[in-house]
């Protein structure tokens, strides 16, 4: 088996920011108008009154202060409450491929690789813009990569699950190097009219290059000591939007076809699962908790990360041990732990170990234990 390393990482931020205050102002104006317009139905119990949101609640309950938006226009417009993303012709680059290319090019430059060096492209994220052709094949074409490209959907664990696939392909010799990209264009699936979830997500794109250790020339590279993915079925985080919508006599864009969750249950159930998963994985590669210098955890909720870190360490983590990036980015589905890695890895010394771990819908949990070379 070939030894596999992470040799490059790339993070791309969209140009637009939406603060909690802006988001709450728009949502509350929408809610007040909704309640006025439906006063009779609300009074008769036919419709539920829209509760008001609060920026203080959002920051306290989640740690989120702002999020990036690929396209801001439309999201804060109370007559629309969703981004206004122009439809592109089939001959044009798709939106999601554009996002993917931004982070892919940064990751390839940091690994010192060109399209000729890469044999496989995996676009792995929570949603893809279309069913086919795969976004990965479009990206592959733009980057002049021969070989194979495919899309993978594993919600918040898409990045770590794809990194495991990439590792296995390189270890087995079916690819020399693999580009894993997470173009998380979440804003079109957010229900900005739902008080409980309107603040959760942001757009971003991340990417990583994995290759054989003997071809790596990168300044910062990480040996993959072990990787594991795990799924346990749960209905607590769902999106029902899909291709069957056309054949069902329901509004394809109704609330239950957008992201929705039982946030409290997710919090309670996923934290112990994620901690146990990492404990098992660290043990499996022959390390102890004390030997892990950095935890690049999924970024859904600051309180969740602190609870998980406490369960692992038996104490509160230092900020640099388990870096938080969700204050700036919000929940970016699978990209969260990769953003944390991108922004917080260059200070590690040779021999330092860390864990990249994601958790979310499915439920799904994925992790990689890595050591700096
Ligand atoms: N403003 C003001 N008050 C609010 C708001 C708000 N926006 N929202 C809720 N409240 C109120 C509630 O009404 C409640 O009041 P009451 O007790 O009177 O009913 C009170 O605040 C507490 O409500 P909750 O119990 O719901 O609040 P929590 O403290 O649990 O916080 C969170 C809510 C932040 C959602 C929290 O539960 C959480 O973060 N849970 C974990 C969620 C998580 O990790 N989910 C993962 C989802 S992502 C994923 O897996 C894949 C998705 C793929 C991408 C999707 C892209 C769109």
């Amino acid at each position: 088996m070939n030894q596999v390393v992470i040799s490059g990482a790339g993070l791309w931020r969209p140009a637009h920011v939406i603060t909690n205050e802006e988001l709450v102002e728009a949502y509350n104006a929408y809610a007040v108008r909704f309640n006025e317009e439906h006063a009779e139905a609300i009074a008769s119990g036919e419709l539920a009154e829209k509760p008001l949101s609060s920026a203080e609640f959002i920051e306290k309950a989640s740690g989120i202060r702002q999020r990036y938006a690929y396209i801001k226009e439309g999201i804060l417009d109370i007559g629309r409450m969703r981004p206004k993303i122009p439809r592109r012709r089939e001959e044009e680059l798709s939106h999601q491929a554009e996002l993917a290319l931004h982070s892919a090019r940064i990751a390839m430059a940091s690994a010192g690789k060109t399209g000729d060096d890469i044999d496989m492209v995996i676009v792995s994220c929570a949603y893809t813009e279309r069913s086919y052709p795969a976004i990965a094949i479009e990206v592959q074409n733009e980057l002049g990569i021969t070989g194979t490209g495919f899309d993978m959907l594993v919600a918040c664990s898409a990045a770590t699950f794809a990194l495991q696939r990439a590792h296995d392909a390189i270890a087995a010799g079916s690819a020399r190097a693999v580009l894993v990209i997470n173009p998380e264009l979440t804003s079109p699936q957010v229900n900005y009219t739902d008080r409980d979830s309107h603040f959760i997500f942001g757009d971003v794109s991340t990417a990583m290059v994995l290759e054989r250790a003997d071809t790596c020339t990168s300044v910062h590279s990480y040996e993959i000591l072990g990787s594991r993915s795990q799924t346990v079925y749960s209905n607590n985080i769902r999106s029902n939007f899909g291709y069957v919508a056309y054949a069902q006599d329901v509004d394809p864009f109704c609330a239950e076809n957008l992201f929705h969750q039982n946030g409290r249950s997710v919090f309670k159930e996923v934290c112990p699962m994620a901690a146990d998963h990492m404990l098992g994985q660290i043990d499996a590669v022959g390390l102890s908790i004390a030997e892990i210098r950095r935890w690049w955890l999924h970024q859904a909720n600051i309180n969740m990360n602190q609870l998980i870190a406490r369960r692992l360490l038996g104490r509160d983590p230092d900020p640099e041990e388990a870096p938080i990036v969700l204050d700036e980015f919000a929940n970016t589905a699978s990209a969260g732990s990769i953003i944390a890695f991108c922004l917080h890895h260059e200070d590690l010394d040779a021999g330092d170990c860390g864990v990249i771990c994601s958790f979310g819908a499915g439920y799904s949990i994925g992790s990689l234990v890595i050591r700096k070379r």
Side-chain angles (χ1 to χ4, degrees), residues 2-24:
N2 296 310
Q3 193 187 51
V4 184
V5 299
I6 296 171
S7 57
L11 160 65
W12 178 79
R13 292 166 170 89
H16 309 289
V17 167
I18 302 179
T19 63
N20 287 348
E21 288 72 20
E22 284 177 281
L23 196 70
V24 166

Side-chain angles (χ1 to χ4, degrees), residues 24 27 51-58 60-64 126-127 154-157 184-191 194-202 236-237 239 258-259 261-268 270 298-304 331-334 359-364:
V24 166
Y27 169 84
L52 294 186
S53 186
S54 118
E56 296 70 40
F57 169 87
I58 294 170
K60 188 161 174 287
S62 70
I64 296 166
Y127 303 92
V154 200
C156 286
S157 295
E184 290 292 6
L185 182 54
T186 62
S187 53
Q189 252 283 320
V190 175
N191 184 351
D194 173 37
R195 194 275 311 258
D196 292 358
S197 64
H198 75 122
F199 59 89
I200 295 180
F201 295 100
N236 281 330
I237 315 170
S239 160
L258 300 174
F259 168 87
Q261 69 168 353
N262 299 317
R264 264 285 125 156
S265 308
V266 174
F267 196 113
K268 276 198 204 129
V270 169
H298 177 53
Q299 304 282 319
N301 182 303
I302 193 172
N303 304 315
M304 235 171 152
N331 183 339
T332 50
S334 78
F359 32 87
Y363 296 134
S364 58

Side-chain angles (χ1 to χ4, degrees), residues 71-139:
I71 291 188
K72 187 169 175 178
E73 186 187 352
I75 295 176
L76 305 178
D77 170 355
I78 67 165
R80 183 174 174 88
M81 302 298 273
R82 62 188 196 278
K84 194 171 172 63
I85 300 180
R87 195 158 172 95
R88 289 186 174 169
R89 295 194 315 278
E90 291 190 357
E91 303 72 39
E92 291 180 286
L93 187 69
S94 66
H95 290 286
Q96 211 171 12
E98 181 185 312
L99 261 82
L101 283 164
H102 287 306
S103 59
R105 289 193 171 111
I106 300 168
M108 286 166 70
S110 80
K113 297 289 169 219
T114 69
D116 289 339
D117 303 311
I118 293 170
D119 292 331
M120 186 184 284
V121 179
I122 309 177
V123 163
S124 194
C125 45
Y127 303 92
T128 48
E129 189 178 339
R130 59 169 185 258
S131 299
Y132 44 83
I135 304 294
I137 305 176
E138 191 180 358
V139 170

